[in-house]
Amino acid sequence: IYNNDDKLYRLNGKKVEELDNGTDGVIFLSDPLHQAFNYQAGSDANMVNKLIVDPINFTTSAWTQMSADEQRALFSVWLFSLFFESMLPTKPIQFFQGEKGSGKSSCQRMVGRWLFGPKFDVTPVLAQKEDAFVTAVVNEYFVAFDNVDATIPWLPDRLSSVSTGQRILLRKYYTAAEQEVHYPKCYISINARTPNFKRDDVADRMLIFSLDRVEHFKPESRLMDQIDNNRHLLWSSFIDSLNKVVAHLQRDKEMLTSFFRMADFATLGWKVCKALTGEGQSFISILQKMDDEQKEFLMDDDPFTELLEMWVEGNPLHSRISSTQLMGQMKLLADEIGVSLGFRSAVAFGRHLKNNLTSLRRRFDIQVNVLANRPLYTFALIDDD
């Protein structure tokens, strides 16, 4: 771990060594915007929870899959994952959703101010500034994007590629044809009230946290002052906890067979929980709920799902309908109520239907029969009672 100055802290599971930057060929480049910190052994073990995790107003609403405490536990694991980049070829996209006044931006600032110091701030995403997005993710280790509510056509592709570490090609400055290749190692945090980057390959890589509106506001300046004034203790507390995780990882070689698409994150989080709490089964339960949260995120306010629900309600006795026939009938319904179905061809419609059957089965009982290599569908609404 680099202290943003001229020292490294090497953790071996037993002790924390302070070394000069560059020792054993490990060197970090300084950033003038990042403030230094110093490790102090024996700091309060709960400092990060007290000043960063606990102040976040995670929702307790019945419509979320996870309780507030489960969201806190998952968020804490995400914080630990920031320090194990080499173990995570696919990095989770951390996402805060909530109404205005729920403290989404403040949560992101607290993390950044702890990591890098008081000059850290969140970054706006502008539809016409794809180059600025790319520049940020290839140069930074952690970027917090603020108020990502607009429809930005290129954003889902970029989020997916950064999460999976795909290479990014950029034209080399002052040349006509030379390219530079970048493999981003950036962790991304996003907040939004009305997210418009819903796509299954993005949702599958998101950790979705829901926030309630803060009823009794504490000035953000006070929250940030607490972070800035206690950075040495925050880092020291976290480094001690990280060393416990390092010790556990050296012993625990068991691999988790995971249903979760981000299997590397699931395995790491499972072991982090075992290292710090002695058991990992509760984390598996949280991941199962997050999987449900991701599916619900995709279906919420989805015009396709809403139109299909309206069509099924109006045609409850249908049987074995092809995707082409269904598209025709749903398009008539969409035209009737003045909305767009959003598909240019029956092929695209059929592919969307097939690829989203798992999510749709949360709301519909779907039977699929194949006749002459053509799938035929029967839908029924699931009674929530």
Side-chain angles (χ1 to χ4, degrees):
I1 296 173
Y2 182 46
N3 81 334
N4 298 327
D5 190 8
D6 59 356
K7 297 296 181 183
L8 307 178
Y9 297 114
R10 182 162 64 192
L11 285 58
N12 65 8
K14 297 178 181 179
K15 62 181 179 179
V16 177
E17 296 180 272
E18 182 180 280
L19 307 169
D20 290 331
N21 191 16
T23 300
D24 296 334
V26 178
I27 189 167
F28 289 83
L29 300 180
S30 297
D31 188 322
L33 298 180
H34 295 174
Q35 187 181 69
F37 67 89
N38 294 309
Y39 169 72
Q40 303 168 15
S43 298
D44 182 353
N46 291 316
M47 183 66 72
V48 173
N49 285 337
K50 289 177 181 177
L51 296 187
I52 296 178
V53 181
D54 292 345
I56 300 176
N57 197 36
F58 293 113
T59 186
T60 56
S61 302
W63 51 266
T64 58
Q65 302 294 327
M66 296 184 295
S67 68
D69 284 343
E70 287 171 330
Q71 292 188 77
R72 289 188 188 95
L74 181 59
F75 184 75
S76 296
V77 167
W78 174 76
L79 290 178
F80 279 94
S81 77
L82 299 177
F83 297 85
F84 294 95
E85 185 275 333
S86 63
M87 295 177 63
L88 298 177
T90 298
K91 297 171 185 58
I93 301 167
Q94 186 269 316
F95 172 51
F96 286 122
Q97 63 178 347
E99 62 179 301
K100 182 179 180 180
S102 55
K104 303 183 296 296
S105 303
S106 297
C107 298
Q108 295 174 308
R109 285 193 184 94
M110 287 192 296
V111 174
R113 296 277 281 255
W114 160 49
L115 293 174
F116 304 118
K119 292 185 180 180
F120 175 87
D121 206 352
V122 297
T123 302
V125 175
L126 303 177
Q128 70 275 24
K129 297 294 185 180
E130 183 176 3
D131 288 348
F133 178 94
V134 172
T135 299
V137 300
V138 300
N139 286 287
E140 302 292 342
Y141 193 77
F142 170 72
V143 182
F145 293 108
D146 190 29
N147 293 326
V148 189
D149 294 285
T151 300
I152 303 175
W154 51 263
L155 185 59
D157 283 336
R158 288 301 187 184
L159 289 175
S160 179
S161 64
V162 173
S163 174
T164 54
Q166 295 177 15
R167 70 177 185 174
I168 294 177
L169 298 177
L170 298 176
R171 182 176 63 83
K172 191 174 183 179
Y173 283 129
Y174 311 114
T175 68
E178 293 184 54
Q179 289 185 322
E180 294 180 333
V181 180
H182 299 269
Y183 292 91
K185 298 182 178 182
C186 184
Y187 286 81
I188 291 179
S189 173
I190 301 176
N191 81 64
R193 285 178 286 173
T194 55
N196 286 294
F197 43 83
K198 296 184 177 184
R199 204 170 72 184
D200 56 353
D201 61 330
V202 176
D204 283 349
R205 297 180 174 99
M206 289 173 61
L207 302 179
I208 303 169
F209 299 96
S210 300
L211 307 186
D212 281 332
R213 181 176 175 82
V214 178
E215 297 298 332
H216 302 287
F217 287 97
K218 180 184 291 187
E220 184 177 288
S221 59
R222 182 178 171 188
L223 292 173
M224 299 308 149
D225 285 345
Q226 288 181 320
I227 301 294
D228 296 342
N229 295 335
N230 290 281
R231 281 189 74 238
H232 300 294
L233 297 178
L234 282 166
W235 267 108
S236 301
S237 171
F238 202 79
I239 285 174
D240 286 339
S241 296
L242 273 173
N243 217 14
K244 294 179 182 178
V245 175
V246 170
H248 183 84
L249 291 176
Q250 292 171 345
R251 301 189 304 268
D252 187 351
K253 302 303 179 183
E254 187 177 4
M255 295 302 296
L256 176 67
T257 302
S258 174
F259 59 90
F260 201 60
R261 182 164 182 176
M262 291 182 294
D264 295 314
F265 174 78
T267 299
L268 175 62
W270 178 56
K271 292 185 177 183
V272 167
C273 288
K274 288 197 288 183
L276 299 179
T277 69
E279 66 89 24
Q281 187 56 43
S282 59
F283 182 70
I284 305 303
S285 175
I286 291 173
L287 287 184
Q288 290 172 332
K289 293 183 179 182
M290 177 51 63
D291 187 61
D292 290 339
E293 195 79 57
Q294 292 169 341
K295 293 182 174 65
E296 198 65 35
F297 173 78
L298 280 176
M299 294 181 63
D300 189 33
D301 298 325
D302 177 17
F304 177 88
T305 304
E306 294 180 0
L307 281 170
L308 180 58
E309 186 169 339
M310 292 174 63
W311 182 84
V312 173
E313 287 179 340
N315 300 272
L317 300 180
H318 73 279
S319 177
R320 298 189 178 187
I321 186 171
S322 71
S323 61
T324 302
Q325 293 170 322
L326 180 60
M327 177 181 172
Q329 295 193 29
M330 285 180 62
K331 188 176 187 308
L332 290 175
L333 176 59
D335 292 342
E336 182 181 329
I337 64 176
V339 300
S340 172
L341 182 57
F343 296 94
R344 294 184 179 180
S345 69
V347 172
F349 179 93
R351 184 185 302 116
H352 180 83
L353 178 60
K354 178 182 177 182
N355 291 344
N356 288 278
L357 283 177
T358 300
S359 298
L360 290 170
R361 283 190 166 113
R362 292 175 54 81
R363 195 168 297 185
F364 305 94
D365 179 6
I366 304 175
Q367 303 298 320
V368 183
N369 299 95
V370 179
L371 181 63
N373 292 322
R374 184 176 67 164
L376 302 175
Y377 300 93
T378 304
F379 300 88
L381 292 174
I382 294 176
D383 189 351
D384 291 335
D385 296 333

